[in-house]
Amino acid sequence: GEAALFKFLGNNIKYPPIAKENGIEGMVYVSFVVMEDGSIADAKITSDIGMGCGKEALRVVKRMPNWKPGKQRGKKVRVLYNLPVMYKLN
């Protein structure tokens, strides 16, 4: 579920050093398709704050384990997902 997704992201995304040094914060959006078999396809950055943040979010999305596929009328279907990834310095 969503909690597992954000736990996975939190455990795997590394703040790019150049972004950290320059105080870059904000939201990156990565879109991808969850295929009928649950695999991730067509992952791409749709909104980026720069300094490697988008590339890092994309790298982690491409490494995600398979999802439970979406269903429509009992049939497995492709689902487009837009994932927000927040970069915030402490």
Side-chain angles (χ1 to χ4, degrees):
E2 199 168 277
L5 168 63
F6 289 113
K7 182 178 179 184
F8 178 84
L9 293 174
N11 289 338
N12 290 281
I13 288 184
K14 307 293 183 239
Y15 217 113
I18 189 81
K20 191 181 278 189
E21 290 167 14
N22 287 286
I24 301 297
E25 294 184 333
M27 191 79 74
V28 169
Y29 290 90
V30 178
S31 73
F32 55 91
V33 177
V34 178
M35 303 300 285
E36 294 92 338
D37 65 356
S39 64
I40 304 299
D42 300 326
K44 61 185 172 198
I45 303 164
T46 56
S47 179
D48 195 357
I49 56 174
M51 301 280 178
C53 293
K55 288 180 183 178
E56 175 62 8
L58 183 61
R59 179 190 71 81
V60 173
V61 164
K62 288 180 176 181
R63 295 183 57 217
M64 284 193 299
N66 282 2
W67 286 41
K68 290 181 183 173
K71 288 188 177 181
Q72 191 171 34
R73 295 187 200 109
K75 183 181 175 190
K76 293 178 183 178
V77 294
R78 295 177 184 182
V79 178
L80 177 64
Y81 196 88
N82 289 303
L83 178 67
V85 178
M86 172 62 85
Y87 283 90
K88 181 126 178 86
L89 294 168
N90 293 334

